[in-house]
Amino acid sequence: MAPLRFSANLSWLFPELPGLPARLRAAGSSGFEAAEVAWPYAEPPEALARVAREAGLRLVLINTPPGDQEKGEMGLGAVPGRQAAFREGLEQAVRYAKALGCPRIHLMAGRVPQGADRAAIRSEMETVFLENLRHAAGVLAQENLVGLLEPINTRVTDPQYFLDTPQQAAAILQKVGRPNLQLQMDIFHWQIMDGNLTGNIRKFLPIVGHVQVAQVPGRGEPSSPGELNFPYLFQLLEDEGYQGFVGCEYRPQGDTVEGLSWLRSYWDRQGHPRAGQ
């Protein structure tokens, strides 16, 4: 059983630092060997790639652009009428992924349009999503990249998000049927929507390409108070043979570095070469 590999989510960690380059350096100094970021598009990709190399980091995940956030958009993959914008955003994400050496792109589904009824528009949104995913799979395959689908909980975090359960995401992946499209498992969202984490992890792990973690309900460090037993979950992922990265997508409850004591303890147990940093 190989030890888990952890990635610093720099959209969440080191919030006291103003820019992505500074957060990359901080992640490297804290012992991480990998990082992920939702939207790196405010910085030139070549500059980010240089900073990441200097910090001893590889980028393992970025997201497609969110769309027009001022209008409430949070991804475009399943949004009717926004197919052209989704494809433009995909091209931008691929350019960044290639420059950063990043192998995975989260293809954001997006929200049910304002004023629309979820049940009434669900079929249309799924049709749009399937069309966009087939297009994306072809584009990504040309560059040897993987696309990920992430369910986001609609009970707490984003009530309008279209894709909200692993069951829904897995069914869509099966309909698309492309090997370079996989499932992104954010344990925070999965616990809120469905629980049954042991069963769901065992069931869906064969199609999971990336994992993210945060405590429930506060979305803090895995070691913060909450309802999830992360030592058990980490052991489960090891026992099930998970080989991908585990993204630390949580809200630090205090100083980011001090809050990484749980990870340093894990690294110590595994004999990680950067455990003492």
Side-chain angles (χ1 to χ4, degrees), residues 107-159:
L107 306 171
M108 298 194 71
R111 292 171 171 157
V112 174
Q114 294 179 4
D117 178 77
R118 176 184 292 271
I121 202 172
R122 181 185 179 103
S123 177
E124 180 184 356
M125 292 191 71
E126 181 173 304
T127 298
V128 170
F129 203 20
L130 292 170
E131 174 189 318
N132 280 333
L133 290 175
R134 291 187 182 104
H135 170 80
V139 171
L140 296 174
Q142 293 177 6
E143 305 295 344
N144 199 28
L145 299 172
V146 171
L148 298 173
L149 274 60
E150 180 189 16
I152 295 175
N153 84 79
T154 50
R155 289 181 171 166
V156 177
T157 301
D158 196 336

Side-chain angles (χ1 to χ4, degrees), residues 227-244:
E227 60 198 58
L228 296 182
N229 180 348
F230 274 101
Y232 168 81
L233 293 172
F234 291 154
Q235 188 64 54
L236 177 63
L237 289 171
E238 289 183 28
D239 291 346
E240 293 297 313
Y242 177 64
Q243 297 293 314

Side-chain angles (χ1 to χ4, degrees), residues 37-38 45-47 78 100 103 110 121 138 141 156 166 206 216 230 234 249-250 257 261 268 277:
V37 59
E46 295 79 12
L100 295 169
I121 202 172
V156 177
V216 177
F230 274 101
F234 291 154
E249 187 180 275
Y250 59 77
V257 175
S261 58
D268 283 338
Q277 295 191 14

